């Protein structure tokens, strides 16, 4: 049975200091406040903790009553991965849209406005941006979360994003080191493996991280991925050669020369727990060179915190984890907390409420726009919905339907695929297409897809639909790999609310030019 450790025990306080746990509810539970008083130094927020900005500000104030210097972290990438706006969809396009526009000044402005909103709610650490190079278009977990497939482009936008966030006093935490782009496995479920050689890693995966470190990123998040070129046995999060070696080693020795906070990706992910277990994974991560353990996307209770705390304390007492390594990790957490207090600007940045929508509009690629005629009557929106990526979550709305209905009242919306019963096996594409045609009647069809190139059922159903109704409008809200089809094809490069709004404006005939890229 786990017992509360005395507050005077330095090792116990350091063990608590390196944890970044989540919790449930929109106010702070008693156990969390108690652990903050005992030495816990960080808390992680998710969509389940947030109703609105006023409630979030009250929650972070409550946390600071227990520990004024607490780090309040959040997984707020904008775009598809949003916690601030999990119930409505994000006011900001994600990285892929920003990378396509390729205006680092715009990326910096978007990140600064996002940082301003986080800081206003009392959040001072953002586990973002993703610095992964999306070198594998079939990647199931990164995709539109990446700025793109060109390492130099990803690097310049990663730097711009870090600068924008940190200008608002919010610590950036670039992820997923040393790069999660060339994977075909989701580390929420299993351990992805990247077989690239060292030269490729240095010229491709590591370039954005190297540039972000040089630009002063406050944090780096490790990935649960196996890179045999660096460590044949352990994933990066648990690998001394990746964390203490590659990331910390001086540049002249081939490393990145990083001296800030290293945070693990969610330790409860199966890439760690299925092989090592939670407690063992926590000990190995700190021993390998991580400074903070992120846990709580799925495990969010006091027992999880105490199990990890006690495992670290036992490892120190048993000689498996040097006390100096734990103390160093805890000191880095406290140093980052001090950095956030110094970095908070005396005058917050000027609000830029429309910057996200402006960026989403500029990111669109339109094919067939010159001949396009908006629908004379409200259209029928068929959203072909893949199963949600765990990082995105299934509570966040996406698509163009709601935004189009606001512009063209009477628009009807139906979802097909994902959790709605279609999986491409029990129902052939012609059956799905027939269902859409019957539901649409004589209305113009707007088919909305997400990574059609990764889902054969979706691509086949879309092809059948466009063949039957050539005037169909197609909106691709994922990575646009498939050739454009339909009378009008819109690539948004993300499924944030503002991406849906930008596409809806074009479909409704409200916008035809401006920042759009026509092909």
């Amino acid at each position: 049975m786990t017992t509360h450790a005395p507050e005077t025990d330095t090792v116990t306080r350091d063990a608590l200091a390196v944890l970044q746990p989540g919790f449930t509810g929109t106010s702070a539970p008693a156990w969390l406040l108690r652990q903050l008083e005992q030495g816990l130094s960080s808390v992680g927020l998710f969509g389940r903790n947030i109703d609105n900005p006023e409630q979030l500000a009250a929650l972070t104030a409550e946390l600071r009553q227990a520990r004024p210097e607490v780090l309040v972290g959040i997984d707020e990438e904008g775009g598809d991965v949003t916690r601030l706006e999990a119930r409505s969809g994000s006011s900001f396009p994600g990285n892929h849209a920003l990378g396509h526009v390729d205006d680092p000044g715009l990326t910096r402005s978007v990140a600064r406005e996002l940082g301003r909103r986080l800081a206003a709610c009392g959040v001072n650490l953002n586990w973002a941006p993703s610095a992964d190079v999306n070198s594998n278009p079939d990647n199931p977990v990164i995709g539109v979360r990446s700025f793109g497939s060109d390492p130099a482009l990803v690097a310049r936008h990663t730097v711009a994003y870090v600068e924008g966030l940190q200008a608002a006093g919010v610590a950036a935490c670039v992820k997923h080191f040393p790069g999660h782009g060339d994977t075909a496995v989701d580390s929420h479920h299993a351990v992805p493996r990247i077989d690239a050689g060292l030269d490729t890693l240095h010229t491709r995966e590591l370039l954005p991280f190297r540039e972000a470190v040089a630009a002063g990123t406050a944090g780096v998040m490790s990935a649960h991925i196996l890179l045999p070129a660096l460590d044949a046995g352990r994933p990066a999060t648990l690998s001394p050669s990746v964390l203490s070696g590659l990331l910390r080693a001086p540049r002249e020795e081939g490393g990145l020369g990083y001296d800030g906070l290293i945070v693990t990706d969610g330790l409860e992910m199966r890439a760690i727990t299925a092989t090592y277990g939670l407690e063992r994974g926590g000990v190995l991560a700190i021993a390998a060179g991580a400074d903070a353990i992120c846990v709580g996307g799925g495990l969010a209770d006091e027992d999880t915190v105490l199990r990890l705390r006690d495992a670290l304390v036992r490892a120190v007492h048993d000689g498996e984890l040097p006390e100096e390594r734990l103390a160093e990790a805890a000191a880095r957490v406290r140093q980052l907390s001090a950095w956030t207090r110094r970095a908070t600007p005396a005058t917050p940045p000027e609000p830029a409420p429309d910057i996200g929508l402006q960026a989403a509009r500029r990111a669109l690629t339109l094919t067939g726009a010159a001949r396009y005629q908006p629908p004379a009557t409200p259209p029928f929106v068929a959203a072909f919905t893949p199963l949600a990526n765990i990082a995105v979550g299934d509570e966040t709305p996406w698509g163009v339907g709601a935004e189009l209905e606001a512009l063209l009242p009477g628009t009807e919306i139906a979802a097909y695929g994902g959790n709605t019963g279609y999986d491409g096996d029990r129902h052939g594409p012609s059956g799905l297409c027939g269902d859409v045609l019957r539901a649409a009647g004589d209305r113009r069809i707007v088919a909305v897809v997400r990574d059609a190139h990764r889902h054969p059922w979706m691509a086949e159903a879309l092809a059948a639909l466009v063949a039957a109704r050539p005037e169909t409008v197609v909106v691709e809200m994922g990575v646009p790999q498939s050739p454009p089809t339909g009378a009008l094809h819109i690539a948004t490069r993300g499924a944030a609310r503002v991406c849906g709004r930008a596409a809806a404006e074009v479909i409704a005939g409200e916008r035809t030019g401006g920042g759009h890229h026509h092909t």
Side-chain angles (χ1 to χ4, degrees):
M1 181 172 153
T2 307
T3 56
H4 291 290
E7 210 177 331
T8 52
D9 183 341
T10 302
V11 173
T12 301
R13 289 183 71 78
D14 284 350
L16 278 172
V18 303
L19 304 181
Q20 295 191 341
F23 61 97
T24 55
T26 52
S27 59
W31 71 261
L32 185 62
L33 299 175
R34 183 167 60 244
Q35 293 304 326
L36 286 168
E37 289 165 358
Q38 293 278 327
L40 186 68
S41 299
S42 308
V43 170
L45 299 177
F46 296 88
R48 63 185 177 226
N49 305 120
I50 300 167
D51 280 336
N52 55 62
E54 295 74 25
Q55 167 268 327
L56 177 55
L59 168 58
T60 59
E62 195 180 7
L63 298 172
R64 289 201 165 84
Q65 279 191 312
R67 179 166 292 277
E69 69 276 21
V70 65
L71 280 172
V72 181
I74 198 168
D75 197 10
E76 180 57 58
E77 300 176 16
D80 291 28
V81 180
T82 177
R83 311 304 176 208
L84 274 184
E85 299 178 281
R87 289 165 177 78
S88 62
S90 181
S91 300
F92 304 94
N95 287 2
H96 203 56
L98 294 169
H100 175 70
V101 177
D102 197 13
D103 176 353
L106 178 68
T107 297
R108 193 176 295 108
S109 296
V110 166
R112 186 169 58 241
E113 172 63 11
L114 180 57
R116 186 194 67 79
R117 295 189 193 186
L118 289 171
C121 295
V123 177
N124 54 6
L125 167 62
N126 191 8
W127 299 314
S130 289
D132 308 289
V133 178
N134 199 46
S135 44
N136 183 347
D138 290 330
N139 195 314
V141 67
I142 303 301
V144 294
R145 300 168 67 195
S146 166
F147 288 111
S149 57
D150 174 46
L153 179 145
V154 174
R156 63 179 169 266
H157 287 278
T158 298
V159 166
Y161 205 105
V162 167
E163 290 171 347
L165 266 184
Q166 296 191 167
V170 175
C173 184
V174 294
K175 60 188 182 185
H176 307 79
F177 185 82
H180 210 312
D182 189 19
T183 59
V185 173
D186 186 340
S187 52
H188 291 91
H189 303 300
V191 182
R193 175 186 172 112
I194 296 179
D195 286 310
L198 268 178
D199 288 347
T200 300
L201 289 175
H202 275 282
T203 56
R204 188 178 67 185
E205 269 71 22
L206 294 176
L207 180 63
F209 291 97
R210 193 178 298 117
E211 296 295 320
V213 167
T217 184
V220 172
M221 178 177 279
S222 67
H224 306 329
I225 54 177
L226 192 65
L227 297 100
L230 297 170
D231 188 324
R234 290 182 180 173
T237 291
L238 310 182
S239 169
S241 61
V242 173
L243 301 186
S244 296
L246 180 64
L247 185 50
R248 293 282 190 219
R251 288 193 164 212
E252 55 270 23
E253 295 174 18
L256 273 67
Y258 178 62
D259 193 39
L261 188 80
I262 300 176
V263 185
T264 72
D265 204 347
L267 206 70
E268 72 275 13
M269 291 159 63
R270 288 191 56 77
I272 300 298
T273 55
T275 305
Y276 301 93
L278 188 71
E279 294 96 325
R280 176 83 180 141
V283 170
L284 290 174
I286 298 297
D291 304 305
I293 295 170
C294 175
V295 63
L299 299 167
D301 54 26
E302 186 169 28
D303 181 62
T304 300
V305 170
L306 297 180
R307 281 164 56 201
L308 283 164
R309 179 201 71 181
D310 292 351
L312 290 167
V313 171
R314 270 196 312 274
V316 169
H317 290 161
D318 293 347
E320 185 185 3
L321 175 64
E323 186 173 346
E324 302 75 29
R325 168 79 275 270
L326 180 62
E328 177 190 52
R332 279 210 183 87
V333 174
R334 295 172 187 129
Q335 285 162 9
L336 180 57
S337 173
W339 177 92
T340 63
R341 295 197 295 282
R342 290 195 309 273
T344 302
T347 306
E350 280 293 311
D354 295 328
I355 191 71
L357 180 56
Q358 293 170 26
R361 287 169 175 159
R362 290 179 64 184
L364 297 182
T365 299
L366 309 182
T367 306
R371 298 175 303 280
Y372 173 69
Q373 293 296 320
T377 57
F380 179 83
V381 177
F384 292 172
T385 308
L387 288 171
N389 173 326
I390 289 179
V392 174
D394 57 12
E395 78 274 20
T396 304
W398 71 283
V400 302
E403 297 297 329
L404 196 53
E405 209 277 332
L407 298 176
L408 297 176
T411 295
E412 191 176 331
I413 308 153
Y416 302 87
N419 295 320
T420 64
Y422 290 101
D423 60 11
D425 294 325
R426 295 194 307 275
H427 302 268
S430 59
L432 195 162
C433 174
D435 284 354
V436 175
L437 291 172
R438 280 187 293 275
D442 59 1
R443 284 169 292 180
R444 176 81 65 90
I445 296 171
V446 177
V448 186
V449 296
R450 202 167 175 177
D451 288 339
H453 67 283
R454 290 202 304 111
H455 304 287
W457 68 267
M458 189 186 296
E460 291 165 19
L462 181 63
L465 187 60
V466 171
R469 296 279 289 273
E471 75 280 9
T472 295
V473 173
V474 178
V475 184
E476 167 62 83
M477 304 196 84
V479 179
Q481 290 285 314
S482 302
T485 61
L488 171 66
H489 185 280
I490 305 174
T492 63
R493 295 177 172 80
R497 179 176 53 79
V498 287
C499 297
R501 173 73 189 194
E505 290 172 344
V506 174
I507 296 167
E510 292 204 355
R511 289 180 66 83
T512 56
H516 300 316
H517 299 245
H518 293 268
T519 59

